[in-house]
Amino acid sequence: QVQLVESGGGLVQAGGSLRLSCAASGRSISSNRMGWFRRAPGKEREFVAVISSSGGYTYYADSVKGRFTISRDNAKNTLYLQMSSLKPEDTAVYLCAAGRPSGSSWDYWGQGTQVTVSS
């Protein structure tokens, strides 16, 4: 069992930057695929980025490509999302998720942290 807690959200001006953290506890996530998702008000949850267990593979949604960077520090059991050149359209609750090595689903979810980008 893994517990995930996001932090680092807040209010930022368009064009600004923000770094989100996802702290895992209960078990090491060094063997887990990790990802970031977001849910805007009244919108369906959407995929943002994913990173492999070792950090050697990353993939991003087209909407954030070139602006966001997903990373992890397995020694700290923590996942990160560095967000730059933020746009009002990025406003959402950002959630981190963990997937088991042999699975394709997302097994554990955090509660989310609010990111608001003002224009």
Side-chain angles (χ1 to χ4, degrees):
Q1 185 73 10
V2 176
Q3 294 81 47
L4 304 173
V5 180
E6 302 92 340
S7 63
L11 176 64
V12 64
Q13 295 277 357
S17 299
L18 211 57
R19 188 184 74 158
L20 306 183
S21 298
C22 172
S25 62
R27 205 203 72 224
S28 172
I29 58 167
S30 61
S31 63
N32 291 93
R33 176 183 81 258
M34 300 295 295
W36 285 99
F37 295 77
R38 66 187 183 186
R39 184 176 61 248
K43 304 288 186 180
E44 183 180 345
R45 182 185 65 206
E46 67 174 337
F47 166 80
V48 174
V50 65
I51 188 168
S52 62
S53 59
S54 67
Y57 170 83
T58 59
Y59 181 76
Y60 302 87
D62 287 342
S63 59
V64 307
K65 200 168 298 180
R67 301 187 298 119
F68 290 12
T69 301
I70 187 171
S71 63
R72 64 193 298 161
D73 187 339
N74 284 340
K76 295 182 177 180
N77 224 29
T78 302
L79 174 74
Y80 303 98
L81 184 67
Q82 178 65 51
M83 306 184 294
S84 300
S85 301
L86 283 162
K87 307 174 180 179
E89 308 92 87
D90 295 319
T91 295
V93 173
Y94 283 72
L95 306 96
C96 66
R100 286 195 274 245
S102 299
S104 59
S105 63
W106 297 99
D107 302 294
Y108 308 102
W109 294 85
Q111 289 281 77
T113 185
Q114 177 70 48
V115 172
T116 302
V117 184
S118 64
S119 58

